[in-house]
Amino acid sequence: MSNKLLTDDQLEQLDGFLMSPRTPGETMDIEMLDGFLVALAIGPEEVPEDEWLPAIFAGTPPEFEDRAEADEIFGLIRQHAASIKAAFSVNRRDNPGENPLYVPVILSDEDQDEKWQETSGVYWASGFYAGIEARAEAWDALLEANDELDSAVEKILALAASEGDDADQSPSDEVGAEPVKLLSIKERQERVSELPWHIEDVMYYVLEEKFGKVEQVVREEPKVGRNDPCHCGSGKKYKKCHGA
């Protein structure tokens, strides 16, 4: 199984199938799937494929044209999961650079939704929350034991709250005791741009609780400017791609 990052074309192909009429209505899109797989990769317990793969489709198998299509789609999902797991592997953590270990897939609907900035990162954070829920007891134990971890997770899950949500149903309420404060568009943009480093904070705090104090990379500020080329290799500016 390859652990290379999916290309833009592969991401679009996978998202197109996930959002097609042949999948259940509650199926994750590529952004939510990305957040889900990241939470599984950095979480306190291993989640087997036979558990997480059906969860992508809300437990209902999608309709495939044939076995070849099924193999192709499942192959893309498995490759995406493997690439995320590889991004947070021990050898990557032990050889840090200025670039983040992983840049989340955040979709930009600028051409279809003029209000896309108000919900940027919502689906990613919702997927991350779904990944936490897959091992809720283990996460709860760590969150109760480590206030810094709890704060780092809250920063991510705050993206899941948007206008129109019921306050008591927001994922971030499940973690923090304080009521959720909706992010302004500027705050949301900044939070999305900082997301790679919030993810790494969570990863290191989880490792600390599992194995004791671990050496953590301290970065005073994100190293990726919004006008810099995106690290995913698309050639687009960060603000127009994963930083959108």
Side-chain angles (χ1 to χ4, degrees):
M1 170 60 62
S2 172
N3 59 10
K4 291 179 60 176
L5 292 172
L6 296 184
T7 65
D8 286 346
D9 287 344
Q10 288 174 318
L11 288 171
E12 289 182 12
Q13 177 188 357
L14 180 54
D15 191 47
F17 179 81
L18 293 173
M19 294 293 94
S20 74
R22 292 185 290 137
T23 61
E26 297 302 314
T27 298
M28 299 180 184
D29 72 349
I30 192 66
E31 180 178 322
M32 187 173 182
L33 172 62
D34 193 72
F36 178 64
L37 293 175
V38 167
L40 298 186
I42 66 174
E45 293 182 358
E46 190 81 17
V47 179
E49 181 184 294
D50 61 5
E51 181 179 339
W52 64 256
L53 188 57
I56 296 170
F57 301 97
T60 302
E63 299 175 11
F64 294 107
E65 290 182 355
D66 49 35
R67 181 59 183 267
E69 183 184 47
D71 289 344
E72 185 175 19
I73 294 299
F74 286 139
L76 290 174
I77 292 174
R78 291 186 176 106
Q79 181 178 335
H80 194 47
S83 68
I84 290 173
K85 195 169 184 178
F88 297 107
S89 64
V90 173
N91 64 318
R92 289 289 309 280
R93 296 197 303 262
D94 289 347
N95 295 281
E98 291 187 348
N99 298 336
L101 295 177
Y102 183 72
V103 179
V105 176
I106 305 292
L107 301 178
S108 168
D109 295 327
E110 190 171 2
D111 296 333
Q112 289 145 4
D113 183 1
E114 61 182 16
K115 295 185 177 181
W116 66 274
Q117 290 178 315
E118 297 177 9
T119 57
S120 179
V122 165
Y123 290 111
W124 197 95
S126 297
F128 191 84
Y129 177 67
I132 289 178
E133 283 294 279
R135 286 295 180 271
E137 290 186 9
W139 275 99
D140 285 345
L142 296 189
L143 292 167
E144 290 178 8
N146 190 316
D147 290 339
E148 291 175 311
L149 171 60
D150 186 76
S151 177
V153 170
E154 276 191 53
K155 288 177 181 178
I156 294 175
L157 295 187
L159 285 168
S162 62
E163 290 287 351
D165 290 341
D166 292 333
D168 59 353
Q169 293 180 357
S170 171
S172 50
D173 270 351
E174 299 293 330
V175 178
E178 296 297 322
V180 175
K181 175 182 174 293
L182 290 179
L183 299 174
S184 67
I185 290 179
K186 181 180 179 181
E187 289 172 331
R188 182 171 289 277
Q189 289 177 329
E190 291 176 349
R191 189 67 55 87
V192 168
S193 69
E194 296 165 355
L195 190 54
W197 290 274
H198 292 315
I199 293 168
E200 289 181 34
D201 285 343
V202 172
M203 178 193 69
Y204 283 114
Y205 290 135
V206 169
L207 291 172
E208 181 178 323
E209 288 303 312
K210 288 178 66 177
F211 304 112
K213 189 70 175 178
V214 296
E215 185 176 349
Q216 183 172 355
V217 182
V218 178
R219 299 185 176 92
E220 294 183 357
E221 59 184 7
K223 299 295 184 180
V224 187
R226 288 184 58 74
N227 288 309
D228 293 340
C230 189
H231 287 308
C232 73
S234 67
K236 302 176 184 177
K237 290 182 179 180
Y238 184 70
K239 66 182 180 182
K240 289 292 187 180
C241 192
H242 285 82

